[in-house]
C-alpha cells in the first residue's frame, strides 16, 4: 500500500476530531427535561401491510364523510319522512327504497317536534340519517354497497339501586313524595298494592313505607326512576305488613308477588276510586238521610269532588247502564258468573255502553249526586250470587301464581330483598346489587 504524505493542517484536523469524539463520549446523557422544546422528527418509512391499508381506507372514509353536507329538519304538522327528505332535495326514489325496508317503521313513524339529521354528498345523494327517538335510543339510516340499511343505536344507561323510607302523616302520596320518590314510582306502588290496601281507610298516622327501586342515569345525568324492586307498607297502625316483590324477565315485568309467591293482583280492585274518603260503610241498619227512616245500607259510599273518575273494579260485562230508582245514574257489571258490582249516583257515564266488556281499571263513569243523594259521592256495591257483601271485607280471588320455571329465582331474590326491607330505616343503607 502506498503511503501518501499528510499535510500539517490535516494532521491538526484529525487530532481535533479525535479529541472531540472522546469528549462527547465522556459527557453525561442529557435528561428529558434538558432536551430542547422543539423536536424535529423524521418521517418513518412506509410499512406496506394489510393492517396499514385498512387504516388508510378508514382515513379516506373519514375524509369523505367530512365532505358531506349536514342538514337538520324538524318535523312539523302533517310532515313525514318524505316531506323531510324533499326539503333537502333528496329524490323520491330514495324515500321509496327506504320505505320498502322490513324495519322502515323505525324511521317513518315520526312525531311532530322530532328532528332528523340528514347528510348528503356533493351531488345531494343521501348518505346517512340520524333520528334520535329519545335520549337513549336513536335510529340510523346508512348507505351501503347493497343499498340503505336501518340500525338501532342505544346509549348505555347506568342503573343504580336506591332506597326510600317514609312515615305516613296524612296522605300517602305526600308521605311518599317526602321520602324522595318520584310521581311515577308513587303511582306504581299504589298500583301494586291496589288490590290489598285501601289507601283511604287503612293507613294510620305512623304507618311506614319502605321501597327499593332503580334509578336510571346517562353520562352521570339522572333520567328518571326505573322499576320498583320491592316495597313494604304497614297499615292499621302497624298491625299489618304488606310486601311486594318484582318478578321480571328480559321482556319486562311479569308481576308483583308477596314473600310467599302469591300474586298481588286480584280479580277485583279494593276500591273503585282513588284517594277519596269513605262517607258511609256497609251497614244492615242505617238511617237514610233522604228517606228519613231506618234502612239497610248495602254498599260503601265514597265521597269526593264532582266528576271524580270511577274505575270498574274487575273484568266483566256491563249488564245495566241508565237511570234507577234511588241509584240515579248507575251501572251494573257482571263478573265471572257469580260476582256483580254496582256503581250509583253518577254525574255522567264513561264511553262504555250496555253489553260491552270492560277491563279492570277502565273508567266507566264520573262521581255525582243523582238519585237519592244529599251530596256528591259514589255508592258502590259488591254482590256474590245475588247476595250483598261488605266490599271492604270481602276476600278477593287472586290472579295466577308464579310459573314453576321462575319459582326458585323468585324465592332467592324475594328473601334477600325482604331481609333488606326489614332492616331499612332512615339511618341504614342496603346492598346495591340484587340480581
Amino acid at each position: 500500500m502506498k503511503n501518501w504524505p499528510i499535510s500539517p493542517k490535516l494532521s491538526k484536523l484529525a487530532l481535533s476530531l479525535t479529541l472531540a469524539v472522546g469528549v462527547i463520549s465522556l459527557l453525561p446523557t442529557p435528561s428529558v427535561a434538558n432536551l430542547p422544546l422543539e423536536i424535529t422528527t423524521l418521517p418513518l418509512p412506509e410499512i406496506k401491510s394489510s393492517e396499514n391499508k385498512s387504516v388508510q381506507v378508514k382515513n379516506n372514509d373519514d375524509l369523505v364523510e367530512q365532505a358531506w353536507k349536514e342538514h337538520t329538519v324538524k318535523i312539523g304538522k302533517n310532515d313525514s319522512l318524505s316531506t323531510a327528505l324533499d326539503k333537502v332535495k333528496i329524490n323520491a326514489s330514495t324515500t321509496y327504497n327506504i320505505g320498502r325496508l322490513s324495519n322502515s317503521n323505525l324511521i317513518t313513524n315520526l312525531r311532530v317536534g322530532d328532528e332528523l339529521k340528514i347528510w348528503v354528498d356533493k351531488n345531494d345523494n343521501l348518505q346517512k340519517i340520524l333520528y334520535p327517538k329519545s335520549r337513549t335510543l336513536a335510529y340510523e339510516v346508512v348507505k351501503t354497497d347493497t343499498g340503505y340499511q336501518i340500525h338501532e343505536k342505544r346509549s348505555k344507561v347506568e342503573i343504580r339501586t336506591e332506597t326510600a323510607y317514609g312515615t305516613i302523616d296524612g296522605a300517602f302520596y305526600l308521605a311518599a313524595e317526602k321520602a324522595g320518590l318520584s310521581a311515577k314510582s308513587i303511582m306504581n306502588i299504589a298500583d301494586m298494592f291496589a288490590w290489598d290496601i285501601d289507601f283511604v281507610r287503612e293507613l294510620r298516622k305512623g304507618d311506614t313505607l319502605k321501597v327499593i327501586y332503580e334509578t336510571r342515569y346517562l353520562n352521570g345525568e339522572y333520567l328518571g326512576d326505573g322499576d320498583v324492586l320491592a316495597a313494604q307498607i304497614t297499615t292499621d297502625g302497624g298491625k299489618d305488613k304488606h310486601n311486594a316483590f318484582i318478578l321480571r324477565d328480559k321482556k319486562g315485568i311479569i308481576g308483583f308477588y308477596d314473600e310467599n309467591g302469591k300474586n298481588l293482583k286480584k280479580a277485583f280492585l279494593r276500591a273503585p276510586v282513588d284517594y277519596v274518603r269513605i262517607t258511609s260503610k256497609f251497614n244492615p241498619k242505617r238511617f237514610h238521610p233522604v228517606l228519613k227512616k231506618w234502612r239497610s245500607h248495602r254498599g260503601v259510599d265514597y265521597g269526593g269532588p264532582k266528576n271524580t273518575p270511577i274505575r270498574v273494579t274487575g273484568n266483566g260485562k256491563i249488564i245495566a247502564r241508565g237511570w234507577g230508582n234511588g241509584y240515579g245514574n248507575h251501572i251494573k257489571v257482571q263478573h265471572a258468573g257469580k260476582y256483580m258490582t254496582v256503581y250509583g249516583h253518577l254525574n255522567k257515564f264513561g264511553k262504555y255502553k250496555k253489553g260491552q266488556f270492560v277491563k279492570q281499571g277502565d273508567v266507566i263513569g264520573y262521581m255525582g249526586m243523582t238519585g237519592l243523594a244529599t251530596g256528591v259521592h259514589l255508592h258502590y256495591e259488591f254482590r256474590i250470587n245475588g247476595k250483598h257483601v261488605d266490599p271492604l271485607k270481602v276476600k278477593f280471588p287472586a290472579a295466577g301464581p308464579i310459573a314453576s320455571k321462575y319459582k326458585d329465582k323468585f324465592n332467592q331474590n324475594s328473601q334477600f330483598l325482604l331481609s333488606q326491607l326489614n332492616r331499612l330505616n332512615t339511618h341504614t343503607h342496603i346492598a346495591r346489587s340484587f340480581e
Side-chain angles (χ1 to χ4, degrees):
M1 180 176 178
K2 188 174 180 179
N3 293 322
W4 294 93
I6 301 174
S7 67
K9 289 183 178 181
L10 287 176
S11 297
K12 290 181 179 181
L13 178 60
L15 180 62
S16 298
L17 290 172
T18 302
L19 291 174
V21 171
V23 171
I24 291 172
S25 64
L26 294 174
L27 288 175
T29 303
S31 66
V32 174
N34 294 327
L35 288 175
L37 294 178
E38 295 183 5
I39 302 176
T40 303
T41 57
L42 295 175
L44 295 174
E46 183 179 359
I47 301 175
K48 296 185 179 297
S49 68
S50 59
E51 181 179 355
N52 188 62
K53 288 179 181 178
S54 65
V55 171
Q56 186 66 34
V57 170
K58 181 180 180 181
N59 290 337
N60 284 340
D61 286 345
D62 290 341
L63 292 174
V64 170
E65 198 165 324
Q66 289 174 10
W68 294 348
K69 186 175 181 179
E70 179 184 334
H71 301 274
T72 299
V73 178
K74 190 170 185 177
I75 302 300
K77 188 177 180 180
N78 299 322
D79 277 349
S80 63
L81 178 64
S82 177
T83 58
L85 297 181
D86 186 60
K87 290 178 181 179
V88 294
K89 300 179 181 179
I90 294 173
N91 58 59
S93 62
T94 299
T95 306
Y96 174 76
N97 290 332
I98 294 174
R100 293 183 63 192
L101 298 174
S102 60
N103 59 345
S104 63
N105 62 298
L106 300 179
I107 196 73
T108 55
N109 290 339
L110 301 174
R111 303 164 299 187
V112 174
D114 285 343
E115 283 192 350
L116 300 179
K117 288 189 179 297
I118 303 170
W119 286 266
V120 297
D121 60 20
K122 62 181 181 179
N123 298 317
D124 288 332
N125 294 317
L126 176 65
Q127 299 297 323
K128 186 168 71 172
I129 303 174
L130 182 65
Y131 171 33
K133 184 74 172 179
S134 67
R135 295 179 66 181
T136 60
L137 174 64
Y139 300 116
E140 187 178 62
V141 180
V142 292
K143 186 178 182 181
T144 69
D145 294 339
T146 58
Y148 291 100
Q149 294 181 359
I150 303 175
H151 305 291
E152 180 182 280
K153 300 179 68 177
R154 287 188 179 273
S155 301
K156 186 174 178 58
V157 176
E158 178 189 1
I159 304 296
R160 302 180 188 178
T161 305
E162 306 290 346
T163 64
Y165 178 93
T167 302
I168 308 298
D169 186 18
F172 168 76
Y173 189 97
L174 295 177
E177 189 176 46
K178 188 176 180 180
L181 294 171
S182 68
K184 173 190 173 183
S185 290
I186 295 172
M187 297 312 297
N188 285 343
I189 293 168
D191 289 342
M192 288 160 51
F193 291 107
W195 291 271
D196 288 333
I197 298 177
D198 186 331
F199 286 89
V200 177
R201 183 178 70 95
E202 294 184 77
L203 293 178
R204 298 283 187 272
K205 184 176 181 179
D207 280 331
T208 58
L209 165 68
K210 300 178 181 182
V211 186
I212 302 171
Y213 65 105
E214 293 177 337
T215 51
R216 303 167 68 248
Y217 288 82
L218 179 63
N219 299 324
E221 183 180 354
Y222 171 74
L223 294 178
D225 287 358
D227 293 336
V228 174
L229 303 179
Q232 183 182 94
I233 297 178
T234 62
T235 59
D236 198 17
K239 295 178 182 178
D240 296 319
K241 189 179 290 185
H242 305 265
N243 296 315
F245 304 98
I246 195 171
L247 175 62
R248 61 184 178 181
D249 59 14
K250 293 180 180 179
K251 295 180 180 179
I253 297 175
I254 297 172
F256 290 91
Y257 302 79
D258 67 11
E259 63 272 28
N260 299 314
K262 292 183 178 179
N263 200 329
L264 292 187
K265 185 175 182 178
K266 304 294 191 297
F268 294 92
L269 295 173
R270 177 57 65 183
V273 287
D274 297 327
Y275 310 116
V276 293
R277 66 189 183 279
I278 293 177
T279 57
S280 183
K281 297 182 180 180
F282 187 91
N283 190 343
K285 193 174 182 180
R286 183 194 69 157
F287 189 76
H288 197 282
V290 176
L291 299 177
K292 303 299 181 182
K293 63 180 181 180
W294 292 97
R295 184 178 179 182
S296 62
H297 188 244
R298 300 182 295 183
V300 174
D301 290 348
Y302 292 90
K306 185 178 181 180
N307 289 328
T308 296
I310 298 168
R311 301 181 186 279
V312 65
T313 52
N315 297 346
K317 180 181 180 181
I318 297 177
I319 60 173
R321 179 184 184 269
W323 185 267
N325 292 333
Y327 289 107
N329 291 327
H330 76 292
I331 289 177
K332 292 181 180 178
V333 180
Q334 189 73 45
H335 314 268
K338 67 177 182 177
Y339 300 102
M340 179 188 291
T341 54
V342 182
Y343 312 79
H345 309 308
L346 278 59
N347 181 53
K348 57 182 179 179
F349 298 107
K351 65 181 180 179
Y352 301 99
K353 310 295 184 182
K354 180 180 176 180
Q356 285 189 298
F357 286 90
V358 287
K359 293 183 179 180
Q360 186 179 76
D362 285 343
V363 175
I364 56 174
Y366 300 86
M367 193 180 292
M369 55 179 294
T370 57
L372 295 178
T374 57
V376 176
H377 72 282
L378 166 68
H379 175 77
Y380 174 63
E381 294 181 7
F382 196 93
R383 305 177 187 177
I384 302 178
N385 291 325
K387 182 180 178 180
H388 292 79
V389 297
D390 188 347
L392 301 179
K393 295 180 179 179
V394 64
K395 297 294 184 181
F396 297 135
I402 296 176
S404 57
K405 64 179 180 180
Y406 297 119
K407 281 186 178 179
D408 290 342
K409 183 67 173 178
F410 174 81
N411 290 335
Q412 179 183 351
N413 286 344
S414 63
Q415 291 306 310
F416 175 75
L417 287 166
L418 180 60
S419 69
Q420 299 296 318
L421 285 173
N422 286 338
R423 70 186 190 90
L424 178 62
N425 57 45
T426 54
H427 305 293
T428 58
H429 297 282
I430 66 170
R432 291 304 194 203
S433 178
F434 302 100
E435 295 186 10

